[in-house]
């Protein structure tokens, strides 16, 4: 990471340069949401100042400009995930809405006897939409258990897959443990049983390279705000031949070809799944974030890995800290508990020292239950964090016994 110029990078993130509670902000809550570089702020500001218009429908120049930028953003996302064509990219509000889209549209064809395979470490966004589907249509949910290190139990997963499995829906990276799941093995096994596959990439897309064709998944979901883009925008990638067969899930403008009270014909993907005025400025902001990320100088992934390793080593050296999960491949986050204190109290003390982290169940209550915990304190460093910030965080943790 000596080649990766972190101060120059940080200069592009205005929100990093502030004091919180009289101390310089150390922002380690990037798994919840990341800060935004000037490139994103500028792109969205420029859109509203100059090109603002609704897309697709008007005859005027501003609308043509807005449409061009909006559809170019779709192309940027398609390249970012290596989709075969831009029509495979559907705009959503985020990962949550992307998964709900699949559950409501593709899921409409499922019924009793069909199974959906999830894992214990899923975020509620990849659990509750399937539970709603199960309630509506009698679908069964099966759950891949974890090993003691916080990894998916691959042997158990293979045993749970069967010809009844219609969908394997798993995270690429856990938002609590940082576990990188064995997607290649899981997707191959699911395919051999004839199941489709959905990847929750919310915690992965900002850290690992994403290649939906190499993964061989049928659906891939992620959120803009976790990879330096704006809130209110996310992506569902779906294989084109599947999208063509899927019914709409929300009705309105944009998603139709012809509307008549005698019957309505629907538009082709992706528009079939984008009823109403889309988040135009947000799509443009997300494309700016992806351009920013893909044009970063080499070394940022190694820098992130170095920060996480420094943090994990430092945590292990503190006798009163218990690190949760030791997966063989870990990205983005590390969770801890304390022998004698509640994570909430520790989080509040860290905030007093300017350090932003997250406490609680992290929208993964089934995982908490499996771990026998009611919450953790989670650190989520990102590419703009520094070795000095990690050292300062570890020093702050070392001082916690003085306060309790
Ligand atoms: N899945 C995972 C693994 C996540 O970490 C998150 C965000 N915490 C989500 C889904 C939901 O993302 P969003 O709230 O942006 O829809």
């Amino acid at each position: 990471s000596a080649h990766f110029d972190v101060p120059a990078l940080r200069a592009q993130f205005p929100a990093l340069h502030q004091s919180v509670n009289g101390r310089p902000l150390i922002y380690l809550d990037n798994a919840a949401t990341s800060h935004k570089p000037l490139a994103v702020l500028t792109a969205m500001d420029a859109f509203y100042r100059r090109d603002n218009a609704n897309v697709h429908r008007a005859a005027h120049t501003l609308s043509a400009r807005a449409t061009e930028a909006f559809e170019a953003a779709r192309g940027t996302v398609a390249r970012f995930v290596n989709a075969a064509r831009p029509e495979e990219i559907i705009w959503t509000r985020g990962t949550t809405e992307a998964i709900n889209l699949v559950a409501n549209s593709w899921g409409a064809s499922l019924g009793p006897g069909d199974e959906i395979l999830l894992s214990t470490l899923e975020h509620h966004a990849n659990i509750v939409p399937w539970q709603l589907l199960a309630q509506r249509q009698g679908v069964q949910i099966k759950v891949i258990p974890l090993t003691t290190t916080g990894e998916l139990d691959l042997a158990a997963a293979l045993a749970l897959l069967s010809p009844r499995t219609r969908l394997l829906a798993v995270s690429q990276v856990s938002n609590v443990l940082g576990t990188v799941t064995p997607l290649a093995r899981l997707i191959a096994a699911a395919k051999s049983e004839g199941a489709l596959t959905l990847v929750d990439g919310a915690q992965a897309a900002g850290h690992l390279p994403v290649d939906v064709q190499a993964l061989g998944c049928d659906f891939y979901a992620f959120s803009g705000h976790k990879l330096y883009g704006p809130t209110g925008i996310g992506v569902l990638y779906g294989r084109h031949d599947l999208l063509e067969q899927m019914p709409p899930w929300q009705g309105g403008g944009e998603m139709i070809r012809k509307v008549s009270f005698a019957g309505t014909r629907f538009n082709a993907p992706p528009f079939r799944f984008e009823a109403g005025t889309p988040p135009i400025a947000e799509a443009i902001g997300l494309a700016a974030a992806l351009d920013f990320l893909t044009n970063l100088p080499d070394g940022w992934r190694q820098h992130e890995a170095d920060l996480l390793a420094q943090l994990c080593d430092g945590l292990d050296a503190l006798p009163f800290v218990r690190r949760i999960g030791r997966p063989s491949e870990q990205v983005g986050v590390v969770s801890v508990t304390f022998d004698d204190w509640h994570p909430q109290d520790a989080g509040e003390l860290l905030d007093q020292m300017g350090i932003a982290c997250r406490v609680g169940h992290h929208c993964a209550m089934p995982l908490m239950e499996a771990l026998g915990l009611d919450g953790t304190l989670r650190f989520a460093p990102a590419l703009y964090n520094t070795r000095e910030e990690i050292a300062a965080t570890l020093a702050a943790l070392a001082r916690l016994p003085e306060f309790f």
Side-chain angles (χ1 to χ4, degrees):
S1 68
H3 308 292
F4 184 62
D5 187 352
V6 184
L9 181 81
R10 290 176 69 83
Q12 298 185 49
F13 287 85
L16 295 178
H17 307 281
Q18 60 178 302
S19 289
V20 167
N21 296 320
R23 309 286 287 276
L25 169 66
I26 298 180
Y27 187 79
L28 295 174
D29 194 19
N30 293 287
T33 204
S34 60
H35 287 298
K36 320 306 173 196
L38 290 170
V40 170
L41 306 179
T42 307
M44 295 179 76
D45 185 72
F47 170 76
Y48 279 126
R49 282 174 193 270
R50 203 188 53 205
D51 301 331
N52 177 54
N54 211 331
V55 290
H56 294 151
R57 287 182 285 261
H60 63 84
T61 302
L62 264 58
S63 179
R65 272 195 232 142
T67 303
E68 195 176 316
F70 178 70
E71 290 304 329
R74 197 189 302 275
T76 300
V77 174
R79 284 190 299 281
F80 181 75
V81 300
N82 194 31
R85 46 199 286 191
E87 293 86 352
E88 295 183 319
I89 302 303
I90 300 166
W91 301 117
T92 65
R93 277 195 299 124
T95 308
T96 303
E97 193 178 60
I99 297 172
N100 276 278
L101 190 165
V102 178
N104 282 273
S105 168
W106 174 81
S109 65
L110 303 191
D114 291 332
E115 294 178 3
I116 291 175
L117 184 55
L118 309 176
S119 90
T120 305
L121 56 66
E122 297 312 311
H123 186 280
H124 296 165
N126 195 29
I127 299 175
V128 185
W130 307 116
Q131 289 178 325
L132 294 173
L133 177 68
Q135 281 166 21
R136 282 196 303 273
Q137 290 165 225
V139 175
Q140 274 261 330
I141 293 174
K142 300 272 164 122
V143 185
I144 303 169
L146 294 188
T147 67
T148 51
T149 55
E151 293 174 271
L152 298 197
D153 185 333
L154 199 53
L158 301 184
L160 284 165
L161 280 165
S162 82
R164 286 185 301 282
T165 315
R166 300 293 307 279
L167 179 75
L168 167 79
V170 288
S171 292
Q172 189 169 13
V173 172
S174 159
N175 69 313
V176 178
L177 306 176
T179 309
V180 180
T181 61
L183 279 187
R185 295 285 307 278
L186 287 171
I187 288 172
K191 276 186 163 170
S192 73
E193 296 287 0
L196 296 187
T197 54
L198 178 147
V199 177
D200 174 347
Q203 293 299 336
H207 301 290
L208 302 172
V210 180
D211 184 335
V212 291
Q213 296 189 70
L215 277 174
C217 60
D218 299 292
F219 301 106
Y220 191 100
F222 70 95
S223 301
H225 68 96
K226 291 182 199 282
L227 39 56
Y228 315 107
T231 53
I233 185 87
V235 170
L236 176 68
Y237 156 83
R239 236 180 55 213
H240 193 257
D241 57 320
L242 279 171
L243 295 180
E244 275 194 310
Q245 294 158 28
M246 282 163 48
W249 77 304
Q250 290 178 341
E254 289 277 314
M255 51 76 70
I256 50 82
R257 184 149 282 150
K258 181 174 192 317
V259 176
S260 132
F261 285 111
T264 288
R265 282 189 298 118
F266 303 121
N267 208 336
F271 307 113
R272 185 187 300 163
F273 306 103
E274 295 179 352
T277 298
I280 304 165
E282 288 78 2
I284 290 165
L286 174 54
L290 299 183
D291 283 339
F292 163 82
L293 198 55
T294 49
N295 290 323
L296 280 179
D298 283 347
W300 69 268
R301 286 200 174 86
Q302 187 58 49
H303 174 65
E304 286 194 344
D306 291 348
L307 293 177
L308 194 63
Q310 181 192 358
L311 186 52
C312 289
D313 290 349
L315 292 168
D316 287 343
L318 295 169
F320 49 87
V321 174
R322 200 177 295 274
R323 184 148 68 89
I324 307 300
R326 284 168 198 266
S328 59
E329 207 185 333
Q330 183 173 349
V331 158
V333 301
V334 56
S335 265
V336 298
T337 59
F338 303 93
D339 286 344
D340 301 319
W341 323 312
H342 198 274
Q344 178 77 33
D345 299 326
E348 281 168 17
L349 281 171
L350 291 176
D351 181 55
Q352 289 308 307
M353 301 185 238
I355 299 166
C357 57
R358 182 149 296 245
V359 297
H361 55 66
H362 314 293
C363 297
M365 283 179 155
L367 173 59
M368 292 298 132
E369 199 181 315
L371 295 168
L373 301 171
D374 60 0
T376 71
L377 185 148
R378 180 184 75 182
F379 297 107
L383 47 79
Y384 44 53
N385 290 116
T386 64
R387 295 191 65 80
E388 292 72 25
E389 286 181 317
I390 301 297
T393 301
L394 291 166
L397 282 166
R399 288 189 54 203
L400 285 186
E402 297 170 29
F403 297 96
F404 282 107

